[in-house]
Amino acid sequence: MFHATFKGGSLLAALLISTAAHAELTADQVWTNWKAVSVASGQTVTAASEARQGDTLAITGLTIVSTFDGGSINSTVEAVNFRELGDGTVEVTMSPDYPVVVNSIDSDGRKSVVNVAVRQPDLKIIASGTEAETRYDFTAPFVKALVNDVTVEEKPVELTLEVDVTALGGSYLVTAGTPKQLASSITAGSAAMTLAMTDPETGGKINITGNVSDLAGNSTGNLLDAAMTADMSQALKAGFATDGSLTYGAGTFEFDVAEAADTTQGTATIGSGNIVFALDAERLNYGGGAKDVAVTLSGTWSPLPSVAMSYGEAAFNLLMPTSKSDTPGDFALLTKLVDFTLSDEVWSLLDPEKVLPRDPATLVIDTRGKANWMVDIMNPDEAAKAGEDASPVQLHALDVTELRLKAAGAEVTGNGALTFDNADTTTFPGMPMPAGKLDLKIVGANGLVDKLVQLGLLPEDQAMAARMMMGLFANAVEGSDDTLTSTLEFRDKGLFVNGQRLQ
């Protein structure tokens, strides 16, 4: 329901990406092209009146309706003015406040209505450029969206949601053609959110506040009509593309949840973060990260006054091909958690005698390679049948650029590279035959096993089995204290560990 609410921003987006058509733009041209872009985006645009007042085209009673699966968004703006500035540019201003109504029906058939009040009292947009390229620069001291009227099945829901963005600015550059091209840049001094809600069934209450500073985003892409993007497989073939990034600075987050017998409170701080995304006919890329994060939790569920954790950096990134092809494309997968720590209160529950080292833990898995899809994963029908008869993907190469696990006084590191023969899936049943090797290094493993035995977490017989396995599959490094190495190599249709053939 609330996801749909924020689609109300399409009103502002439509204003910003209108495609006026001459080097000396007129108010009528901007308005005409804005309506054309809105319709192409799947919106219905109507106006109560259009009147020329000197250098200004005044629009009153502007209504924009857009639909989505199971609902609609209705926005009504009392007045929009397109004023010719005399230098070939057009200034667009609009009413400082306007309502947005979101109607939706969920999977259980329940009807909901969300009323949103949007405030943007000093928003200004300047349209400039040529017929081939139209630029829209915009500024706003603040933009606020407030939700305080929600009903489900005509019964009111106790909910308030407020979103505030300050020092908003940026630009859009639209290039004519088929498809149209869009490049955008946006900045904001801060973004804040406040949510207060009472569950109508249980009476439980949720309060959430958060804010983040120094937002900056950039994106490029190709625009298609809304009807074409309904089928993403066909849209990608027709040239749909998007590529962008978002960065943000320091932020804070607080929440308080009160249920019938339990309460939970939490706070979090973050130093900075980022998000990247891309989608076109060749690739899908999605990733993000955060630095200097600290979280504190407390509540009736915990035997401790509070639970605290932090990390220096966390990151995730996924890259993969998007189209069915016989030609391998690039893929990558990154998982990173650096310098993760738990508070001493938590450690004391697990290890009151401080047997285990409490050094920060780190996990890094960084892989990349080559693969190709045997099915069109953007086609819902093909994606649903993927894997029924055979693997939907062919893996051709895998590079482990970094493998690192560090915790409790032990550390495993490694790297390597493999290639795969998809014509041979019998040598290693169920997978293409690999060739290549992985090198591993293990520091402190025996010491960790001893400490786990001392804590009673690992029985002595299992510890002995673990030591035997390490002796079979790893070599001790002479002159080093508790350091092992191991090389796993696939060659001659077999698996070799430290030169010894196992298969």
Side-chain angles (χ1 to χ4, degrees), residues 268-322:
T269 60
I270 184 172
S272 62
N274 75 295
I275 298 171
V276 297
F277 58 90
L279 177 63
D280 56 37
E282 300 298 325
R283 60 172 178 147
L284 165 67
N285 185 204
Y286 178 75
K291 294 182 178 180
D292 301 325
V293 175
V295 180
T296 301
L297 302 173
S298 62
T300 54
W301 50 269
S302 173
L304 300 173
S306 64
V307 174
M309 64 191 76
S310 66
Y311 56 83
E313 181 183 3
F316 170 81
N317 190 70
L318 171 66
L319 169 68
M320 69 177 189
T322 52

Side-chain angles (χ1 to χ4, degrees), residues 22 52 71 88 220 223 238 247 255 261 323 356 379 383 442 478 491:
H22 292 279
R52 259 288 185 174
T220 59
L223 302 177
T247 61
F255 70 91
S323 300
L356 294 173
N379 183 309
I442 308 170
E478 294 185 9
R491 58 181 171 84

Side-chain angles (χ1 to χ4, degrees), residues 439-463:
D439 293 312
L440 301 173
K441 181 180 179 180
I442 308 170
V443 178
N446 284 299
L448 177 59
V449 170
D450 291 340
K451 290 179 173 63
L452 293 176
V453 172
Q454 183 180 345
L455 281 171
L457 299 177
L458 184 66
E460 184 61 50
D461 58 340
Q462 295 182 18

